[in-house]
Amino acid sequence: MLVLLPPSEGKATGGLGAPLKPQELSLPGLAAARAAVLEELVELCAADEPKAREVLGLSEGLRGEVAKNVVLRTAGARPAGEVYTGVLYDALGLADLPAAARERAEDALLVFSGLWGAVRITDRIPSYRCSMGVKLPGLGALGAYWRGPMAEVMPDAAGDGLVLDLRSAAYGAAWKPKGEVAGRTASVRVLHSQMVDGVEKRSVVSHFNKATKGRLVRDLLLAGAVPASPAELITALRDLGYVVEAEAPAKPAKAWALDVVVTQIHH
């Protein structure tokens, strides 16, 4: 099972030990593309802070994020699983997973990134600010920029098992499973269900979406579940107590779309 995750805007700082070693990152086929994004991002942030804030979509109060990007090559790095924070990663709780579940997480989780393309949670990276929605002056929109490089490496990374896609739309743009891989891919949407004047209303709410996605990955890892297909994933999630609604796609080489319906988040 390969689980595709979005990163988080907020990131832990204060990496310890050695700085970034690009040659040690997973998915080495992305090395050249990573180097190009890193070079332009560092140069932009070092040369023109107001322009960098505009490109990165940052307010005046977040100018420290620009300064952080300037020193990406020399800043202390830490495992990506410690760098990414926020609602999804809080619910996933990597730090306190038992050893066996932690090993499964290291094998299964792949975090997409505007700067790195995608990294494993064990890859050591510095804290940075560069979302997939950014359009760099030289390289253009990162979602489009990464499509070629990701298309080269992701079929191998996907292996021959289930691909569980929990990415947001911006990060999903960087790689769309095709052909045989698409047929064993399941994307998940979380719907918040509540009764309003006796009528059920469903909506997509950011907090419920992110927290539920983190929690269901954690539950799968703790259970040692290894679903090999979207159909087996549906069974595994229902066995874990989730309300899942899904229909098989009309065509075999098309990803499954799953709705997980929640009424509240249990912490």
Side-chain angles (χ1 to χ4, degrees):
M1 179 173 67
L2 182 69
V3 182
L4 311 181
L5 296 175
S8 58
E9 286 294 335
K11 298 174 184 70
T13 56
L16 304 174
L20 172 71
K21 296 180 180 178
Q23 71 278 9
E24 294 184 0
L25 296 178
S26 302
L27 305 179
L30 299 178
R34 286 169 174 151
V37 179
L38 179 63
E39 181 176 7
E40 181 169 357
L41 182 63
V42 171
E43 289 183 0
L44 170 68
C45 291
D48 190 338
E49 185 210 273
K51 176 66 174 178
R53 283 197 289 108
E54 177 186 346
V55 169
L56 297 174
L58 301 175
S59 66
E60 174 75 25
L62 291 174
R63 60 193 306 173
E65 298 291 282
V66 176
K68 190 162 61 175
N69 283 346
V70 174
V71 296
L72 283 173
R73 292 191 179 96
T74 56
R78 62 166 68 183
E82 297 176 15
V83 171
Y84 295 117
T85 59
V87 175
L88 187 154
Y89 291 91
D90 284 348
L92 175 52
L94 290 169
D96 63 1
L97 283 175
R102 174 71 189 200
E103 288 181 12
R104 288 191 282 271
E106 292 173 359
D107 288 339
L109 305 187
L110 192 66
V111 184
F112 273 60
S113 162
L115 175 53
W116 314 115
V119 291
R120 299 281 186 183
I121 61 170
T122 51
D123 287 334
R124 293 180 61 84
I125 58 173
S127 181
Y128 66 96
R129 189 64 172 255
C130 184
S131 73
M132 192 66 80
V134 164
K135 184 176 182 179
L136 291 175
L139 297 177
L142 291 177
Y145 170 81
W146 280 112
R147 283 177 200 150
M150 297 305 292
E152 292 291 325
V153 304
M154 284 305 298
D156 283 342
D160 57 6
L162 171 73
V163 178
L164 174 54
D165 190 353
L166 302 179
R167 298 172 297 166
S168 56
Y171 290 89
W175 180 65
K176 296 185 186 302
K178 296 180 179 179
E180 180 270 334
V181 178
R184 49 187 167 85
T185 297
S187 62
V188 171
R189 178 177 67 164
V190 177
L191 298 177
H192 178 214
S193 172
Q194 54 184 334
M195 300 301 293
V196 179
D197 296 330
V199 178
E200 183 192 25
K201 300 289 187 180
R202 292 183 175 183
S203 58
V204 178
V205 181
S206 179
H207 173 80
F208 284 86
N209 179 55
K210 294 175 181 177
T212 301
K213 286 178 177 179
R215 190 162 60 91
L216 72 81
V217 172
R218 180 181 177 88
D219 287 346
L220 288 169
L221 294 171
L222 288 172
V226 285
S229 67
E232 290 184 16
L233 172 66
I234 293 168
T235 299
L237 290 175
R238 286 174 175 165
D239 287 346
L240 289 168
Y242 289 91
V243 177
V244 182
E245 298 176 355
E247 290 184 7
K251 299 179 180 179
K254 194 171 178 63
W256 290 54
L258 278 56
D259 284 341
V260 174
V261 184
V262 299
T263 55
Q264 58 184 351
I265 297 298
H266 301 285
H267 296 283

